[in-house]
Amino acid sequence: MLKQTEEKLMQQIQRDCLVDNSVKMDYPPVAISLGKKVIQTKDGSQMLPIPIGTYGNFSFVQAPPKTKKTFFISLLSSVYLSGTNNFGGDIKGHRTNQCLLHIDTEQGKWHAQRVFKRAIDMSEMDGSQCYYTFALREIGYKKRIEFIEYLLKSDNQNIGVLIIDGIADLVSDVNNLEESNGCIQKLMEWSSIYNLHIITVIHSNFGSDKPTGHLGSFLEKKAETQIQLEANTVNKEWVTVKCKRSRGYAFETFSFKVNDLGLPEVVGDLYDPLKSNGERY
């Protein structure tokens, strides 16, 4: 009986994971983009959005302390909810009836609500219908993973983008190999099974541009897009956003600031031209 069960499981995996090379596969559907790129195909030229993230994949934001990571997440959240807005510049959200699930693991409810409401204010819409927000500071790391999975399995939610701010709180130690690997496996599983894009956040190592611990190393290896925030080299009030690595075309470097109303907004492209704009795997 056990052998039959195992064989059925292998057969299911065979069906689910088969890649049929005789079937034409379309360009991955984009969740959030910045800019466009003309590519050449057998059918001629095609104009495609340059993805910050596509459905079925995950990306991560890395930054040292005090580089406004949460403000940047608010910016992406607002654009995904509204498609475009006055704060996001050329960043575009691509959704039809999908919703946004936003998880905060670090802050209490009062501070977390300020972040969530900021995205709603910037999107100029009532996000309550399609913007699900949770502050999970008070529960343990294992229960956080279980709860996120529970939400994704819920029948009444059609999640297009999942934000986890920050992923280090889904493990007990970012240098625990087993836990870090298990956490990244969950991101790959959730993004694939539910055909959503996951954006998560992690700190950089002190004095380095590497994300923290073994968890950060796994993120670098498996993510579709690695986004790096750093203090702008020209204007100290700005934060520069770089596509450090991408599995596709890298989006152009840009900067944002927090305006007088306490809201993040994209500004001019002032950054150090001697630094790379992004690499491809």
Side-chain angles (χ1 to χ4, degrees):
M1 185 66 179
L2 185 61
K3 185 177 180 181
Q4 290 178 344
T5 302
E6 181 67 18
E7 184 173 357
K8 287 182 178 179
L9 176 60
M10 291 299 108
Q11 290 172 349
Q12 183 66 46
I13 293 174
Q14 182 180 12
R15 289 191 294 270
D16 292 344
C17 298
L18 173 69
V19 177
D20 187 345
N21 294 309
S22 66
V23 175
K24 180 181 177 180
M25 297 189 72
D26 295 327
Y27 188 77
V30 175
I32 304 175
S33 69
L34 175 58
K36 295 181 179 180
K37 178 79 174 180
V38 176
I39 66 169
Q40 302 299 324
T41 70
K42 291 190 299 182
D43 301 323
S45 299
Q46 189 175 5
M47 178 77 77
L48 297 172
I50 299 174
I52 292 177
T54 60
Y55 293 108
N57 284 294
F58 75 91
S59 60
F60 74 99
V61 178
Q62 66 164 91
K66 307 303 180 184
T67 43
K68 300 180 173 64
K69 295 183 293 297
T70 301
F71 282 99
F72 179 63
I73 291 300
S74 293
L75 185 64
L76 293 183
S77 299
S78 72
V79 171
Y80 186 70
L81 287 172
S82 59
T84 59
N85 59 40
N86 294 328
F87 301 91
D90 292 330
I91 306 174
K92 297 185 183 302
H94 303 262
R95 74 181 185 97
T96 50
N97 62 339
Q98 301 105 315
C99 297
L100 174 60
L101 173 59
H102 193 160
I103 304 293
D104 188 293
T105 63
E106 298 179 353
Q107 303 182 100
K109 289 183 178 179
W110 188 87
H111 287 95
Q113 188 192 60
R114 290 182 66 193
V115 174
F116 301 146
K117 291 184 72 173
R118 189 161 60 212
I120 293 173
D121 291 341
M122 292 167 64
S123 65
E124 297 180 351
M125 63 178 288
D126 178 8
S128 62
Q129 299 290 318
C130 216
Y131 185 33
Y132 307 116
T133 55
F134 295 90
L136 304 187
R137 180 182 182 179
E138 63 194 51
I139 65 175
Y141 70 95
K142 290 182 180 179
K143 287 298 179 186
R144 291 183 185 124
I145 291 177
E146 292 174 10
F147 180 68
I148 293 170
E149 193 157 57
Y150 164 79
L151 291 174
L152 293 175
K153 287 180 178 179
S154 298
D155 294 333
N156 62 338
Q157 298 181 16
N158 179 21
I159 305 301
V161 167
L162 164 62
I163 292 174
I164 305 173
D165 185 5
I167 195 172
D169 293 316
L170 301 189
V171 296
S172 65
D173 181 356
V174 294
N175 283 309
N176 184 304
L177 277 170
E178 184 177 354
E179 288 181 4
S180 296
N181 183 56
C183 181
I184 301 306
Q185 289 296 321
K186 279 296 180 186
L187 297 188
M188 293 192 292
E189 177 186 325
W190 292 339
S191 58
S192 179
I193 290 176
Y194 301 106
N195 193 33
L196 50 81
H197 187 77
I198 301 173
I199 302 170
T200 193
V201 182
I202 192 169
H203 284 282
S204 297
N205 286 320
F206 181 76
S208 167
D209 66 351
K210 291 286 187 182
T212 306
H214 292 309
L215 181 62
S217 297
F218 281 125
L219 282 169
E220 283 191 307
K221 293 173 183 175
K222 304 298 184 182
E224 176 186 31
T225 311
Q226 180 177 357
I227 303 167
Q228 182 169 326
L229 306 187
E230 57 186 28
N232 189 275
T233 56
V234 175
N235 192 318
K236 66 179 182 179
E237 301 299 324
W238 296 2
V239 175
T240 294
V241 183
K242 297 173 56 178
C243 180
K244 189 177 181 184
R245 289 187 179 90
S246 173
R247 295 192 183 276
Y249 295 100
F251 61 81
E252 290 188 2
T253 299
F254 66 95
S255 297
F256 74 92
K257 67 176 183 178
V258 177
N259 65 22
D260 294 338
L261 298 176
L263 301 174
E265 61 181 19
V266 172
V267 294
D269 293 332
L270 290 182
Y271 57 92
D272 191 340
L274 299 179
K275 293 185 178 181
S276 170
N277 284 351
E279 308 167 12
R280 291 183 66 188
Y281 284 132

